[in-house]
Amino acid sequence: MMFDVIVVGGGPSGATAAEDLARSGAHVAMLDRDGRIKPCGGAIPPRLIEDFALPESQLVAKITTARMISPTGRAVDIPIENGFVGMVDREHFDEFLRCRAAKAGAERLTGTFLRVERDDQGTHVVYREKATGDERRERTKLVIGADGARSRVAAAELPGGSKIPYVLAYHEIIDAPGATANYDPARCDVIYDGAISPDFYGWVFPHGKSASVGMGTALGSVDLKQATAALRSSAGLAECKTLRREGAPIPLKPLDRWDNGRDVVLAGDAAGVVAPSSGEGIYYAMVGGRVAATAAMATLMSGDVAKLKLARQLFMKEHKTVFRVLASMQNAYYRSDDRRERFVSLCHDIDVQKLTFEAYMNKRLVKARPMAHVRIGLKNLAHLTGLVRPGFV
């Protein structure tokens, strides 16, 4: 038996790629480790719901307010007008996507990826089957590596694939309380405080009956569990029952190359497609899976392996400007508590609030109000240079 494509990884990116390929008529297998849950705040924009036909039943909460909290404890509440932030629980959401891919015709393989081998018979994916512990070998024309920020496919098949920069994320899923003075089941809290994370942020994201409380950092000296405990205490959530704990890397920058020019293309975290500054990954992972599937189908139909480059080209054509802006913001504001204080102060601004969430929900920079962009640029410069004191807009 030969597959057209084997997708390594069954998260949102891999499952999306497998489903799209199966619906396009490809003979596809999806290899995934069983029971792996990625730490994730679980936020998704309305555009994901529309683009990927996500049923309402997958949403565990709808968020209508985002609260930004500064190092001094000053809070700015940003209403999400004309929309909402949907919340999913990765424990159930990822399996829903895998099952949907299987219903579309993708074959599920459960085990641990070991390596890609090549011989005169072609390309083979070698993995250790979970049920038997045996080493299995499946022949395929193409491989999509969607196996996370520490992708073994990327490390083995692409130059620089093992050197992707990342932050370590850790969260605890807890039994959510009812509404309290510090917790609102319809509000996401984002904590910009060096005591929690000196180079990223902490979060409290409601998931209906549960909530995700966590943080991320690229610094190995930070105790993630201790920082999360401090965050839970400050949010009044220390006594809530802990349901599970998870940790994983989150990439910070897309790789310069996503394919090996032969038979492998990357998708999702393996390609580094997590938004800088926000750390948002689910939407971009699913887009990454879709463009990888598009590139794979173009390669299969034409026999031209240069078509694998389409994955990165299609993704960057639509999203590179947003990624560049968010990276600039992270580099400017996440370096110190003074800068973080100024960033939260900037969030008071109505232009910033409206354009930020319009861009988030629609996944593109808003061009309809050019003067608003000019005003934001000037205010941003004033905050960064210290011309405006924190607390003033």
Side-chain angles (χ1 to χ4, degrees):
M1 180 186 298
M2 175 187 282
F3 290 102
D4 291 318
V5 185
I6 294 180
V7 181
V8 179
S13 185
T16 299
E19 180 186 1
D20 280 8
L21 286 163
R23 293 190 185 283
S24 297
H27 184 204
V28 57
M30 177 177 56
L31 171 63
D32 190 56
R33 291 185 295 167
D34 188 36
R36 176 75 172 95
I37 306 171
K38 182 183 176 181
C40 178
I44 61 171
R47 183 172 172 185
L48 182 152
I49 297 170
E50 179 181 352
D51 286 359
F52 297 95
L54 189 70
E56 184 88 6
S57 60
Q58 283 301 305
L59 299 182
V60 294
K62 290 184 177 180
I63 302 303
T64 55
T65 304
R67 171 170 287 184
M68 309 298 178
I69 303 174
S70 78
T72 61
R74 191 160 47 86
V76 177
D77 284 357
I78 303 177
I80 302 170
E81 299 178 352
N82 303 316
F84 60 90
V85 175
M87 305 302 295
V88 297
D89 189 324
R90 293 291 296 273
E91 180 180 14
H92 307 293
F93 178 68
D94 289 19
E95 180 61 15
F96 164 80
L97 295 177
R98 288 189 287 266
C99 288
R100 191 163 72 171
K103 288 179 181 177
E107 182 173 335
R108 295 184 65 169
L109 307 175
T110 303
T112 302
F113 169 81
L114 298 176
R115 60 191 177 273
V116 175
E117 293 182 346
R118 299 173 182 88
D119 57 23
D120 56 2
Q121 297 298 312
T123 300
H124 306 263
V125 168
V126 183
Y127 70 101
R128 189 168 303 284
E129 188 177 49
K130 180 177 180 180
T132 65
D134 294 339
E135 194 168 290
R136 300 288 187 183
R137 196 168 182 259
E138 300 288 351
R139 193 156 66 108
T140 185
K141 297 174 184 176
L142 298 173
V143 178
I144 293 178
D147 52 334
R150 290 175 175 163
S151 168
R152 298 179 71 174
V153 175
E157 295 295 326
L158 276 85
S162 62
K163 298 179 181 179
I164 187 169
Y166 59 82
V167 298
L168 287 174
Y170 172 80
H171 79 160
E172 296 176 357
I173 297 294
I174 63 171
D175 266 336
T180 69
N182 294 320
Y183 179 81
D184 183 339
R187 187 188 72 217
C188 282
D189 292 358
V190 185
I191 300 91
Y192 298 98
D193 184 351
I196 300 298
S197 172
D199 58 336
F200 205 55
Y201 64 82
W203 68 81
V204 178
F205 285 1
H207 285 180
K209 294 180 180 179
S210 63
S212 165
V213 184
M215 49 78 65
T217 180
L219 303 179
S221 59
V222 177
D223 187 323
L224 280 73
K225 293 184 178 180
Q226 187 177 51
T228 301
L231 175 55
R232 286 181 62 169
S233 179
S234 66
L237 302 172
E239 300 305 316
C240 295
K241 180 182 178 181
T242 302
L243 303 178
R244 64 179 194 262
R245 299 177 174 88
E246 296 145 1
I250 297 177
L252 291 175
K253 182 182 177 182
L255 290 174
D256 293 333
R257 183 170 179 176
W258 294 7
D259 71 279
N260 67 353
R262 183 178 183 179
D263 52 10
V264 173
V265 64
L266 303 179
D269 282 12
V273 293
V274 172
S277 180
S278 69
E280 182 194 356
I282 298 176
Y283 172 77
Y284 294 112
M286 294 178 72
V287 172
R290 176 151 289 172
V291 295
T294 300
M297 282 304 300
T299 302
L300 291 170
M301 293 176 69
S302 68
D304 181 5
V305 294
K307 298 292 186 184
L308 293 175
K309 296 185 184 300
L310 280 172
R312 192 178 193 280
Q313 291 170 355
L314 291 171
F315 186 94
M316 289 300 177
K317 181 179 181 180
E318 183 168 2
H319 300 294
K320 68 178 180 180
T321 302
V322 171
F323 272 51
R324 184 170 64 246
V325 170
L326 291 175
S328 297
M329 188 174 74
Q330 180 172 335
N331 292 334
Y333 284 112
Y334 285 19
R335 62 179 61 181
S336 70
D337 272 355
D338 177 69
R339 291 288 184 93
R340 283 186 278 269
E341 196 74 39
R342 294 180 182 279
F343 172 69
V344 173
S345 180
L346 183 63
C347 290
H348 276 287
D349 186 82
I350 298 300
D351 287 327
V352 171
Q353 293 180 10
K354 287 184 178 294
L355 291 184
T356 295
F357 276 98
E358 286 179 23
Y360 170 79
M361 290 188 290
N362 298 307
K363 287 293 165 273
R364 60 176 63 92
L365 294 178
V366 181
K367 300 178 181 179
R369 298 199 298 273
M371 288 309 299
H373 286 281
V374 172
R375 290 194 298 270
I376 289 172
L378 293 173
K379 292 169 184 176
N380 184 52
L381 181 62
H383 280 79
L384 283 174
T385 58
L387 295 175
V388 177
R389 288 178 293 161
F392 294 83
V393 295

